[in-house]
Amino acid sequence: MKAAAILPRNLPMGVIGPILALVVLMAVGASMNENFLGWNNLSNVLARSAFIGIIAVGMTFVITAGGLDLSVGSMAAFIAGLMIMVMNALLPTLGVGIPVVLAGMAVALLAGLAAGLLNGLLITGLKIEAFIVTLGSMGIYRSLVTWLADGGTLSLDFTLRTFYQPVYYGGLFGIGWPIIVFAVVVVVGEVIMRSTTFGRHCAAVGSNEQVAKYSSVRVGRIRLMTYAALGLLVGVATIMYVPRLGSASSATGVLWELEAIAAVIIGGTVLKGGFGRVWGTVLGVLILSMIGNILNLTDFVSPYLNGAIQGAIIILAVVLQRETKAGT
Amino acid sequence: MKHLASGAALALVLATPAFAQDDTMVIGVSIPAATHGWAGGMNYFAQAAIERLSETYPNLEFVLATASDPGRQVNDIEDMVATRNIDALVVLPFESEPLTGPVQNVKQSGAWVTVVDRGLSVEGIQDLYVAGDNPGFGRVSGEYMVEAMPDGGNIVVLRGIPTSIDNERVEGFETAIEGSGIEILGMEHGNWNRDESFTVMQDFLQRHPQIDAVWASDDDMAMGVLGAIEAAGRDDIQFVLGGAGMKEMIKRTMDGDAMIPANVTYPPSMIATAIEITAVGLVSQAPVSGEFIIGSVLVTPENAETYYYPDSPF
């Protein structure tokens, strides 16, 4: 908040860093391919960023409160699998229509909330390191989805998939649903982070647990709530993900957790906790998916090097911010 | 009655020492875990083969281990030798290099070794080699493309995970389409994954206004490609050629879907072939050492039914 007060004379690099990185990327993209800034391409990029983006908003709170969640990718795969199985099972009784879809959505949200609460309770109740708990649940959910799918792929009934598809491909005024949902989640997240007690408590808990405790902040409950919220958002992301290809397998959501964490850090949230920035996370997500998009739109570098370019830009974006920290 | 009884007794006398001598024989099977569609199918066929053979040959015992990375696979194999004293090992190496040493040790312990799909980096370790035909997979795909587009055309190619398997396939494909007028507009790695292929295809569609066909080179990737084409509402793409024979795709070919006119096999059931031949080698006098290459076959609406396995997860 301090940074906002000194605005605009000496705008700190921590604020400009990610914005600058995104602007540079967009300029590079536009110079390499004329379609890059076209609405079709941008809406593709935004829609496909929505899954990681929605999850990353939740991750911003978890990390701000000094936690970490490695299980979100596996969790998303498991929830997607569960959702598909429940919808397929309900199909004969409910028929193709809105009730089945609503039931599927309810399953996703409930399963997400339950999974988040479970992580949170293990971490706050049993006082186990978040890294360990979520590493464990990551393995559990990944195995569960492989088991549910019998090693293959769970597919949504074809007619149901066609009915449900507009949730990913449709939208309002030419803006896809995933983009709209992502935007809503971001706005709500930003408001909660900046102007609610919960948001301030998250930062307090992540910054110094002892001090927070003596200031009568309920540390355990705040942490628990961040994990529950993240679980719920994983459920929301899954609701948008399933209608895209109508399938879930053990390859679903692999490495999403790392991409979400990377986006949060690129956006300026401190990995050790204590300071979080939802809008920064959004930039982080966009930077990550835009790199992939640009590399696919050109033959400029060997596809073998895609990962290296992504890695370099992640490090660069964080270096740009570090400069400020030394300054302020 | 008396004859029968004495016959039975004689048989028992004759049989007992044979049993005591041979005891049961143990076959270890070590394969990668079901982390993508093809591997899921392979796990299914391995389990099915083991179930069938355990019933057919009561004196054979099987140990199946699935590993999610090369390191764990090495652990699995060491455990099999140390605790189960295996007489034969059927292994589908996660990667050739790291598995070569451990498998060599198994061979030196005196066990029979069958290597499946990916060769080891030192020659002559295995007694039996069962594999699909990767250059052939690419060649058959390329030949089909040439036949389907006699006047040439523009295509995009999705590749698998960067491996020697993928390289062999692409080389086979490129050789087959050489001089045919088919031009490859772009190649990117979809890593044998639906979501990644969806993304790559979306970007290809932005980049190229006119694409005549897609070589998705795998059915999981073809699913992602079809999703992207459908979403973009493009009708310039005449067909998508996948591969490996996923049941949903075989079904579409069988039903005459114009977008999926053909498929090229690379059967996950090759693991079953390997286990069966190894078992036969252990229980019978039939010689089974050598190489067994399973050809890649072009699946068309006419013969699709032969390659349709509705019970398999792949």
Side-chain angles (χ1 to χ4, degrees):
Chain A
M1 302 307 106
K2 215 179 190 180
I6 333 169
L7 270 177
R9 218 157 289 159
N10 48 355
L11 212 59
M13 270 309 274
V15 176
I16 322 172
I19 301 177
L20 204 66
L22 189 65
V23 169
V24 169
L25 265 180
M26 290 185 87
V28 170
S31 71
M32 283 183 167
N33 191 300
E34 71 224 51
N35 286 333
F36 178 75
L37 289 178
W39 174 241
N40 269 339
N41 188 51
L42 288 183
S43 92
N44 280 347
V45 172
L46 284 169
R48 70 168 85 125
S49 310
F51 316 127
I52 305 257
I54 291 169
I55 293 173
V57 169
M59 189 70 83
T60 312
F61 284 90
V62 168
I63 291 181
T64 303
L68 195 68
D69 193 335
L70 296 175
S71 68
V72 289
S74 308
M75 199 192 280
F78 170 67
I79 296 173
L82 196 66
M83 194 178 160
I84 288 172
M85 286 182 81
V86 169
M87 287 170 89
N88 282 344
L90 286 177
L91 193 59
T93 40
L94 292 179
V96 175
I98 293 174
V100 183
V101 172
L102 287 181
M105 289 178 173
V107 167
L109 294 177
L110 286 176
L113 189 63
L117 278 172
L118 196 65
N119 274 343
L121 284 173
L122 286 171
I123 292 162
T124 56
L126 297 180
K127 306 248 184 276
I128 314 172
E129 204 59 52
F131 186 90
I132 297 301
V133 169
T134 57
L135 186 68
S137 45
M138 168 170 98
I140 293 169
Y141 293 128
R142 183 66 59 202
S143 307
L144 282 176
V145 68
T146 313
W147 177 67
L148 286 181
D150 199 9
T153 306
L154 287 163
S155 295
L156 195 59
D157 179 87
F158 190 74
T159 46
L160 189 52
R161 191 199 141 202
T162 316
F163 179 78
Y164 187 11
Q165 241 174 358
V167 173
Y168 181 82
Y169 294 109
L172 272 184
F173 311 115
I175 302 169
W177 285 117
I179 304 175
I180 295 172
V181 173
F182 182 24
V184 170
V185 168
V186 167
V187 170
V188 172
E190 178 71 21
V191 168
I192 291 179
M193 182 66 89
R194 267 174 183 262
S195 19
T196 65
T197 329
F198 177 68
R200 280 194 294 277
H201 282 180
C202 282
V205 169
S207 167
N208 191 327
E209 202 180 317
Q210 291 303 324
V211 172
K213 203 177 276 173
Y214 295 139
S215 321
S216 65
V217 171
R218 290 201 234 175
V219 173
R221 181 184 282 199
I222 294 290
R223 286 236 166 96
L224 179 63
M225 278 171 80
T226 59
Y227 286 103
L230 175 55
L232 193 66
L233 286 175
V234 172
V236 173
T238 313
I239 288 176
M240 316 304 312
Y241 171 81
V242 167
R244 187 165 87 173
L245 294 174
S247 67
S249 71
S250 48
T252 301
V254 172
L255 292 186
W256 280 12
E257 57 282 338
L258 288 189
E259 235 175 285
I261 293 170
V264 171
I265 305 309
I266 291 174
T269 297
V270 179
L271 183 55
K272 281 180 296 197
F275 177 75
R277 207 158 61 182
V278 172
W279 66 263
T281 300
V282 178
L283 294 186
V285 170
L286 292 182
I287 288 172
L288 285 178
S289 49
M290 218 153 251
I291 301 167
N293 180 240
I294 291 172
L295 292 171
N296 281 341
L297 287 177
T298 59
D299 288 322
F300 193 59
V301 285
S302 154
Y304 293 140
L305 286 175
N306 284 9
I309 307 263
Q310 269 169 335
I313 293 184
I314 291 173
I315 295 173
L316 195 73
V318 177
V319 167
L320 282 178
Q321 291 168 24
R322 231 183 115 239
E323 229 176 302
T324 34
K325 265 205 139 177
T328 44
Chain B
M1 197 62 215
K2 207 177 165 188
H3 282 287
L4 193 67
S6 60
L10 188 67
L12 204 68
V13 170
L14 285 177
T16 316
F19 263 113
Q21 227 173 34
D22 266 339
D23 222 350
T24 46
M25 283 182 288
V26 185
I27 299 180
V29 180
S30 169
I31 53 177
T35 49
H36 58 101
W38 191 87
M42 183 191 59
N43 276 259
Y44 164 82
F45 283 109
Q47 279 164 20
I50 287 173
E51 216 165 284
R52 197 189 79 75
L53 289 167
S54 307
E55 268 174 36
T56 318
Y57 306 113
N59 61 327
L60 283 186
E61 231 178 74
F62 292 88
V63 194
L64 175 68
T66 64
S68 51
D69 61 68
R72 284 184 212 197
Q73 193 173 23
V74 172
N75 296 348
D76 286 347
I77 292 172
E78 283 172 356
D79 289 351
M80 282 178 190
V81 174
T83 63
R84 298 300 298 269
N85 200 15
I86 50 171
D87 298 280
L89 172 70
V90 179
V91 57
L92 197 157
F94 217 106
E95 277 169 30
S96 306
E97 296 286 337
L99 265 304
T100 299
V103 174
Q104 200 159 23
N105 293 341
V106 176
K107 180 67 204 160
Q108 275 159 5
S109 78
W112 173 279
V113 170
T114 301
V115 173
V116 190
D117 193 35
R118 277 151 242 188
L120 298 171
S121 42
V122 174
E123 297 214 357
I125 296 175
Q126 69 265 24
D127 299 284
L128 172 66
Y129 179 57
V130 177
D133 181 4
N134 283 305
F137 179 91
R139 195 190 63 244
V140 172
S141 306
E143 284 165 357
Y144 177 78
M145 281 274 180
V146 174
E147 199 193 297
M149 297 191 291
D151 306 325
N154 295 329
I155 63 166
V156 291
V157 174
L158 283 95
R159 307 183 57 155
I161 294 170
T163 46
S164 55
I165 294 176
D166 183 58
N167 290 342
E168 284 176 13
R169 290 180 176 184
V170 173
E171 271 164 35
F173 181 82
E174 285 178 320
T175 317
I177 62 165
E178 222 166 56
S180 66
I182 293 177
E183 199 200 333
I184 300 178
L185 294 174
M187 273 202 221
E188 289 285 345
H189 290 274
N191 297 330
W192 291 316
N193 178 302
R194 285 186 193 200
D195 290 320
E196 287 173 49
S197 306
F198 175 87
T199 308
V200 167
M201 192 60 203
Q202 269 196 333
D203 293 344
F204 271 148
L205 288 170
Q206 287 302 319
R207 188 169 147 192
H208 306 293
Q210 169 68 35
I211 301 172
D212 295 313
V214 182
W215 184 43
S217 79
D218 173 81
D219 286 335
D220 261 320
M221 294 204 285
M223 296 291 273
V225 166
L226 288 170
I229 295 175
E230 205 180 308
R234 287 270 290 261
D235 49 14
D236 49 330
I237 295 127
Q238 296 155 25
F239 66 93
V240 176
L241 181 62
M246 180 190 287
K247 64 177 175 188
E248 287 89 356
M249 291 307 221
I250 299 283
K251 183 82 176 38
R252 289 173 78 159
T253 303
M254 208 158 84
D255 297 345
D257 187 330
M259 271 306 259
I260 311 291
N263 204 295
V264 180
T265 61
Y266 191 81
S269 52
M270 68 172 70
I271 189 71
T273 313
I275 299 173
E276 297 255 359
I277 300 179
T278 307
V280 167
L282 282 194
V283 298
S284 79
Q285 309 284 323
V288 299
S289 58
E291 289 193 355
F292 194 100
I293 305 297
I294 299 163
S296 284
V297 184
L298 185 70
V299 180
T300 56
E302 287 75 45
N303 67 0
E305 213 162 337
T306 328
Y307 300 97
Y308 184 54
Y309 309 105
D311 293 336
S312 159
F314 182 65

